[in-house]
Amino acid sequence: MDPRYSIRWAAEHGFPRLGFLALRAMGDPFARLMSGDEGYDDPYSLIDQLRGDGGVQVTKIGYAAFSYEMCREVLRDRRFGVRVPIDPSVPFLLRRYAERVVVPPNPIEAPSMFAVDPPEHGRLRKPVASAFTPRAVARLGDRVREVTTELLDAMAARESVDLMADFAAQVPIAIIAEIMGIPAADRPLFLSWGSKVAPLLDVGISWRTHHRAMAATEALRDHIAAHIEKLRREPGDDIFSDLVSTGDLNTIELMASANVLMGAGFETTMNLLGNAVPLLLSHPDQLDLLRAEPERWPGAIEELLRYDPSIQMTARRVLEPVQFDGGIPLEPGKSVIVSLAGANRDPVKFPDPHRFDVTRPNAKEHLSFGTGVHACIGASLTRLEVLHALPALFERFPDIRLDGEPTRRRLSTLRGYAHMPARLKSR
Ligand code: HEM
């Protein structure tokens, strides 16, 4: 592996990590949110402390938005871009050198559409988005039903399961693998790479975690490059084969898109499914209501997305001087953390925001899928998967219960569980 990845780690994670440690020791709520057990376990009470007057907040780590209006504004305003800079407090030479280290294609670096601004962004996004129209996605409905039934059948033969490994991870990986034309036998490889790459979304990760992520991105790069070559020779009837055959994207761009789709396509939905189970089980009145009135499930899924989003935050870079009404002037070149979780729990937008209520009338206005030009391409696919998988789980195993505390992943951007032991039948 390229030893220069360590330079990238030092600039992007090592320096901020030292800052987080020092600030955390002083009790700084933003540092506690961004790294450390408190932020992983209960980000929402820290976010409430940080929301302030609703404008962009100046924290000791940089700008951050926690209110619904401000998060929405930043995501939709073209004066903000996605190429988030290395923190200016990192020594200049280290920053310059780190910026020159090339890492393998991954979801958060150009030419991934996540990391590119308009107008180039539109060229990269359009061919992918046009493959994910609601009609194309609806056609996947039968497959989602089949996959879910197969999984539930396999689980029924056992008394206890890990709902993350046996259920929440399996539905989205099966579907995205089919979209990508990836053979079923390769799914475990992608699951393992996905969990190693996911921490790259955080700031301040350890050298070891970064090293593992880089090794996984290299393996992923080689696998995806070979897969694209194969699809060029023998296209399948999957969505990704169509994308390869249009010739709209070159090989590196296809690799970046494949990375984003694989990463975004299962890590997020897996966590949403996982987060939903303890939440519903700990709100039996809400679950009973859904059992009595199953037509409420679509609304419940929006409330699940609002209440405990699997992507807690994103970031933007200030491209030109910005000053919102009554706010502080924002300096170009600096980054702004956009707390999607904060927006979703803003009492101005969602009254009594910490109450989980599957009948909440405006739940669908959550920002869990982002908004603006980078809004999630996979929102309809996610809704389709969850709408089949969750009701089916509770219908098939009405006595399902957790078997001990589920273990949370130690991540701050992605929120989800690593393991969730459960018993399916009452004894
Ligand atoms: C619970 C499920 C999901 C959540 C919470 C989620 C969330 C998000 C968010 C917040 C963004 C915007 C990030 C930003 O503006 O910085 C995004 C973008 C994106 N999502 Fe999702 N996502 C989910 C599922 C999916 C799925 C299933 C796919 C694909 C199959 C997908 C593909 C994408 C892509 C390609 C983008 C980038 C769009 C762009 O940059 O133009 N997502 N997602």
Side-chain angles (χ1 to χ4, degrees):
M1 205 164 46
D2 190 333
R4 288 173 307 167
Y5 295 160
S6 294
I7 307 281
R8 282 287 289 259
W9 170 79
E12 286 177 343
H13 299 282
F15 259 81
R17 190 177 170 82
L18 288 176
F20 286 162
L21 279 175
L23 288 166
R24 234 167 56 201
M26 291 189 276
D28 182 84
F30 195 43
R32 280 152 65 207
L33 176 72
M34 298 292 281
S35 70
D37 290 345
E38 225 181 325
Y40 306 144
D41 291 334
D42 179 19
Y44 301 107
S45 46
L46 288 168
I47 287 171
D48 277 347
Q49 292 175 44
L50 287 158
R51 190 173 289 108
D53 61 2
V56 172
Q57 303 296 301
V58 186
T59 75
K60 294 209 170 62
I61 299 165
Y63 301 138
F66 296 94
S67 72
Y68 185 89
E69 270 321 305
M70 197 41 70
C71 291
R72 191 170 178 280
E73 191 86 32
V74 171
L75 293 177
R76 299 177 76 90
D77 190 323
R78 290 291 187 82
R79 291 173 298 172
F80 296 88
V82 280
R83 236 167 275 200
V84 174
I86 295 178
D87 195 284
S89 65
V90 173
F92 178 77
L93 281 178
L94 176 58
R95 238 185 312 148
R96 280 287 160 272
Y97 191 35
E99 276 161 1
R100 288 199 198 117
V101 177
V102 177
V103 294
N106 66 75
I108 55 164
E109 309 248 340
S112 152
M113 71 182 99
F114 263 132
V116 174
D117 290 329
E120 181 65 354
H121 167 259
R123 188 183 69 76
L124 297 169
R125 176 177 165 115
K126 199 163 162 248
V128 182
S130 51
F132 278 86
T133 56
R135 268 226 337 261
V137 168
R139 282 202 295 269
L140 291 164
D142 288 345
R143 269 310 282 151
V144 175
R145 255 186 295 269
E146 280 164 27
V147 167
T148 309
T149 309
E150 279 165 25
L151 284 170
L152 298 179
D153 285 348
M155 281 161 58
R158 298 158 58 187
E159 257 196 12
S160 65
V161 293
D162 179 346
L163 282 177
M164 292 314 295
D166 298 321
F167 178 70
Q170 298 301 332
V171 178
I173 187 71
I175 299 304
I176 197 70
E178 291 201 12
I179 287 173
M180 303 296 297
I182 287 169
D186 289 354
R187 287 183 210 158
L189 269 177
F190 280 91
L191 281 173
S192 146
W193 288 329
S195 72
K196 290 180 181 127
V197 175
L200 284 182
L201 294 173
D202 285 354
V203 182
I205 58 176
S206 71
W207 181 84
R208 189 188 293 271
T209 305
H210 188 260
H211 188 75
R212 266 203 302 261
M214 285 296 118
T217 51
E218 285 196 337
L220 197 55
R221 171 197 61 199
D222 298 344
H223 198 92
I224 286 180
H227 182 59
I228 291 172
E229 279 321 304
K230 180 173 164 277
L231 296 187
R232 283 205 169 108
R233 286 193 310 273
E234 313 156 29
D237 56 4
D238 52 273
I239 289 180
F240 195 60
S241 285
D242 293 347
L243 192 63
V244 172
S245 68
T246 60
D248 288 340
L249 302 177
N250 67 31
T251 302
I252 297 290
E253 291 163 354
L254 281 169
M255 285 166 74
S257 296
N259 257 299
V260 174
L261 290 173
M262 287 307 297
F266 70 83
E267 279 285 332
T268 49
T269 313
M270 166 179 91
N271 289 324
L272 176 64
L273 280 169
N275 292 349
V277 175
L279 197 51
L280 286 165
L281 289 175
S282 61
H283 291 81
D285 56 325
Q286 304 282 300
L287 194 53
D288 286 347
L289 180 62
L290 292 169
R291 283 184 168 130
E293 298 174 27
E295 67 281 7
R296 290 195 181 273
W297 269 107
I301 287 161
E302 300 307 324
E303 177 68 348
L304 288 163
L305 278 157
R306 179 197 75 85
Y307 190 87
D308 208 13
S310 39
I311 298 196
Q312 292 267 304
M313 65 187 95
T314 181
R316 290 293 185 267
R317 177 194 192 120
V318 186
L319 296 177
E320 52 184 277
V322 179
Q323 182 155 21
F324 292 115
D325 269 357
I328 41 123
L330 304 180
E331 272 176 56
K334 293 202 168 168
S335 54
V336 186
I337 298 290
V338 179
S339 171
L340 306 172
N344 290 356
R345 297 280 189 115
D346 182 347
V348 174
K349 179 71 185 176
F350 300 105
D352 200 0
H354 302 306
R355 190 160 58 89
F356 175 63
D357 174 6
V358 299
T359 66
R360 187 180 286 280
N362 67 345
K364 201 172 181 177
E365 291 171 45
H366 60 73
L367 290 187
S368 301
F369 289 126
T371 181
V373 292
H374 290 278
C376 181
I377 283 178
S380 353
L381 177 62
T382 304
R383 290 183 169 115
L384 177 90
E385 290 180 13
V386 180
L387 192 54
H388 284 307
L390 263 191
L393 176 75
F394 286 104
E395 208 172 288
R396 182 73 180 265
F397 304 115
D399 297 322
I400 186 171
R401 63 191 162 78
L402 298 185
D403 195 4
E405 272 296 299
T407 333
R408 268 219 177 275
R409 296 172 81 180
R410 309 328 274 164
L411 300 172
S412 48
T413 303
L414 274 178
R415 179 164 167 84
Y417 292 99
H419 300 288
M420 192 179 291
R423 292 199 160 263
L424 302 175
K425 294 171 208 139
S426 54
R427 277 192 280 191

